[in-house]
Amino acid sequence: MDLHVNLRSRRDLAGQIYRELRAAILDGRLRRGERVPPTRELALRLEVSRNTVSAAYEWLTAEGLLAGRSRAGSFVQGEGPTGAGRSGGRGTVRLRARSIWNTLPTPRAPEPALAHDFRVGIPDAGMFPFETWRRLMARQLRAANMPATYAEAAGHPGLREAVARHLGVARGVRATAEDVLVTNGAQQALDLIGRVLIEPGACVAVEEPGYPPPRLLFQSLGARVVSVPVDAEGLDVSALPDDARLVYVTPSHQFPLGMPMSPARRTALLDWAKRRDAVVIEDDYDSEFRFGGRPLETLHGLDRSGRVIYVGSFSKVMLPSLRLGFLVAPPSLQRELRLARYVSDLHSQWPAQGALARFIDDGLLARHIRKMRREYESRHERILERLTRDFGDWLQPVPSTAGLHLSATFRHGSRRLEQDVVARAKAAGVGLVALSRYYASPSVKPGLVLGYGAVATARIDEGLRRLRACVTAAAGTKRG
């Protein structure tokens, strides 16, 4: 390995080398079993005599930190305590970030999967065609398919064309490749939109309850974020603040409650945006999985004035770890959004973009979606049936015919009951999410959100049996 040794003067050279290597071993930069450079090589690099380096190695060997192996070299023998000295020598001055970062919550670490995993937003990785994806990626990693320079900020041309065709067929979105910008997931798409449109102090409206990451993102960009309530028809347009510059909505499958925005509300929202000179972000995060009823036209499809930016990703239909998403922008913002992408991280991983383009063009994405739609519909129906039959005294399911999760509100009970049920469920090996997590205001409607992407069909009944026992115990405790 290339080992950095800093010689601050030409005095006591062997001592300086010894102390640098000793510190690297004790603070964990050099780990047990790693080979240090040969004395001749390190001496040439540092422009010192080989005897000087040999003396430093001998001192370290005497302390038990290095060990020589015949014809193999010298290897690290000792090690420091875990995490020791990781930040040593970096100064004690406390640098201050912008004050907004002190108001945002620290992200939760991903929780390990439980035996009965009803967590939200996780697709079934076990049904993903990994072997097919591996072959497509291998093809893209050939020299002929790998650009020797940085690539286009808007994304792989083939993927942009494939996404435009896919959206036109599957969602009725009128778009060309020029309208599509490839991103690292939907969250980066929102970040680019915010960079382009949000002035410090500008008002941004989001749904309540709603998906937390966009709210936090807009706040971090200096926006004044206002929560707008949703009801059985979706976002309450009449409650939008007059000065909102941007409105973020999930009209196809409101997150987390699950109802679609009614046609009347869609029309009202577009009319409002036109009157107020506002922009609407339509997050169509899992609309591919629709199980019943006529598909509603997207806001983008209804928009005639170019005020809707359509955002989506492949995290739910494929895998979140691929980090591939997109936005469909009106011509008036395309230059600025591409520039924002250029100055942020330039472009997404090129081989994965090329592989996804082929995955779509060969009909493999449509086939995978059809297979997963059947599977998720079966799980959705099973959970809804059990909730209606076994939880009717406590929970009221929210009507939903799409997506990877469904919600249920408590008929009677408080947030304390909700939190108690979630804690008991976790202890019983059942993973799920409290509905209150998705509210920004103190006024919440307690309930549970159950995902069915990560839970195997065979585990649903047992998981819900355990959950029922937890609800029964928690409700009895609260009455007592």
Side-chain angles (χ1 to χ4, degrees), residues 230-254:
V230 300
D231 57 25
E233 293 188 73
L235 183 80
D236 183 358
V237 178
S238 66
L240 283 168
D242 291 341
D243 61 342
R245 175 81 174 90
L246 199 62
V247 182
Y248 170 80
V249 291
T250 54
S252 295
H253 183 228
Q254 199 280 329

Side-chain angles (χ1 to χ4, degrees), residues 128-138 359:
F128 183 74
F130 281 103
E131 186 59 28
T132 299
W133 184 253
R134 184 192 64 78
R135 289 197 301 269
L136 294 174
M137 283 292 292
F359 194 73

Side-chain angles (χ1 to χ4, degrees), residues 182-324:
V182 180
T183 62
N184 290 319
Q187 189 70 4
Q188 187 186 44
L190 300 178
D191 181 61
L192 298 178
I193 296 168
R195 287 168 181 257
V196 168
L197 293 177
I198 295 176
E199 298 282 358
C203 179
V204 175
V206 299
E207 297 169 319
E208 174 79 346
Y211 187 46
R215 167 187 290 277
L216 299 177
L217 169 64
F218 298 142
Q219 288 177 348
S220 76
L221 294 173
R224 176 170 55 87
V225 181
V226 176
S227 298
V228 179
V230 300
D231 57 25
E233 293 188 73
L235 183 80
D236 183 358
V237 178
S238 66
L240 283 168
D242 291 341
D243 61 342
R245 175 81 174 90
L246 199 62
V247 182
Y248 170 80
V249 291
T250 54
S252 295
H253 183 228
Q254 199 280 329
F255 188 92
L257 295 178
M259 79 287 287
M261 183 182 287
S262 69
R265 288 282 176 84
R266 292 169 187 248
T267 301
L269 177 58
L270 294 175
D271 289 344
W272 180 92
K274 186 175 181 179
R275 292 195 309 272
R276 301 295 180 183
D277 192 26
V279 176
V280 176
I281 301 175
E282 177 179 16
D283 189 346
D284 211 22
Y285 65 100
D286 64 1
S287 61
E288 293 88 353
F289 304 125
R290 188 165 189 85
F291 314 131
R294 293 176 55 190
L296 293 172
E297 190 170 4
T298 62
L299 287 172
H300 187 277
L302 294 169
D303 179 31
R304 295 295 179 266
S305 59
R307 297 187 177 279
V308 175
I309 304 177
Y310 183 91
V311 170
S313 82
F314 296 94
S315 295
K316 306 298 184 295
V317 298
M318 296 178 71
L319 295 174
S321 55
L322 293 179
R323 303 312 303 143
L324 285 172

Side-chain angles (χ1 to χ4, degrees), residues 185-467:
Q187 189 70 4
Q188 187 186 44
L190 300 178
D191 181 61
L192 298 178
I193 296 168
R195 287 168 181 257
V196 168
L197 293 177
I198 295 176
E199 298 282 358
C203 179
V204 175
V206 299
E207 297 169 319
E208 174 79 346
Y211 187 46
R215 167 187 290 277
L216 299 177
L217 169 64
F218 298 142
Q219 288 177 348
S220 76
L221 294 173
R224 176 170 55 87
V225 181
V226 176
S227 298
V228 179
V230 300
D231 57 25
E233 293 188 73
L235 183 80
D236 183 358
V237 178
S238 66
L240 283 168
D242 291 341
D243 61 342
R245 175 81 174 90
L246 199 62
V247 182
Y248 170 80
V249 291
T250 54
S252 295
H253 183 228
Q254 199 280 329
F255 188 92
L257 295 178
M259 79 287 287
M261 183 182 287
S262 69
R265 288 282 176 84
R266 292 169 187 248
T267 301
L269 177 58
L270 294 175
D271 289 344
W272 180 92
K274 186 175 181 179
R275 292 195 309 272
R276 301 295 180 183
D277 192 26
V279 176
V280 176
I281 301 175
E282 177 179 16
D283 189 346
D284 211 22
Y285 65 100
D286 64 1
S287 61
E288 293 88 353
F289 304 125
R290 188 165 189 85
F291 314 131
R294 293 176 55 190
L296 293 172
E297 190 170 4
T298 62
L299 287 172
H300 187 277
L302 294 169
D303 179 31
R304 295 295 179 266
S305 59
R307 297 187 177 279
V308 175
I309 304 177
Y310 183 91
V311 170
S313 82
F314 296 94
S315 295
K316 306 298 184 295
V317 298
M318 296 178 71
L319 295 174
S321 55
L322 293 179
R323 303 312 303 143
L324 285 172
F326 57 88
L327 62 82
V328 178
S332 58
L333 291 177
Q334 288 174 10
R335 174 191 172 275
E336 291 80 2
L337 287 167
R338 292 184 186 186
L339 182 58
R341 182 68 202 271
Y342 175 80
V343 301
S344 61
D345 70 342
L346 191 54
H347 62 79
S348 301
Q349 184 188 153
W350 204 252
Q353 292 188 62
L356 181 54
R358 179 56 56 191
F359 194 73
I360 296 172
D361 287 341
D362 289 351
L364 300 173
L365 177 64
R367 182 189 308 170
H368 181 63
I369 289 174
R370 287 194 298 270
K371 178 180 70 174
M372 300 312 299
R373 184 187 294 129
R374 290 191 296 269
E375 179 64 27
Y376 293 149
E377 181 176 12
S378 174
R379 298 180 189 182
H380 176 277
E381 290 178 352
R382 186 60 180 163
I383 294 173
L384 184 59
E385 175 191 338
R386 289 294 304 270
L387 286 178
T388 303
R389 187 187 75 190
D390 299 336
F391 294 78
D393 291 342
W394 304 290
L395 292 170
Q396 173 63 52
V398 179
S400 172
T401 57
L404 282 176
H405 72 271
L406 57 84
S407 297
T409 58
F410 281 103
R411 295 181 185 277
H412 311 285
S414 64
R415 189 171 182 179
R416 286 183 58 193
L417 171 63
E418 174 200 65
Q419 299 297 323
D420 191 8
V421 168
V422 171
R424 288 173 183 267
K426 183 176 181 179
V430 179
L432 72 165
V433 181
L435 180 59
S436 62
R437 178 189 292 189
Y438 302 112
Y439 283 84
S441 65
S443 177
V444 304
K445 192 163 190 178
L448 304 175
V449 187
L450 293 93
Y452 40 82
V455 63
T457 304
R459 291 184 174 271
I460 288 177
D461 283 1
E462 174 60 20
L464 293 180
R465 186 194 68 78
R466 296 186 184 192
L467 178 60

Side-chain angles (χ1 to χ4, degrees), residues 17 37-50 53:
I17 296 170
T39 55
R40 186 187 303 276
E41 176 185 317
L42 188 57
L44 286 172
R45 193 187 314 157
L46 298 178
E47 298 180 348
V48 299
S49 73
R50 186 179 181 186
V53 177

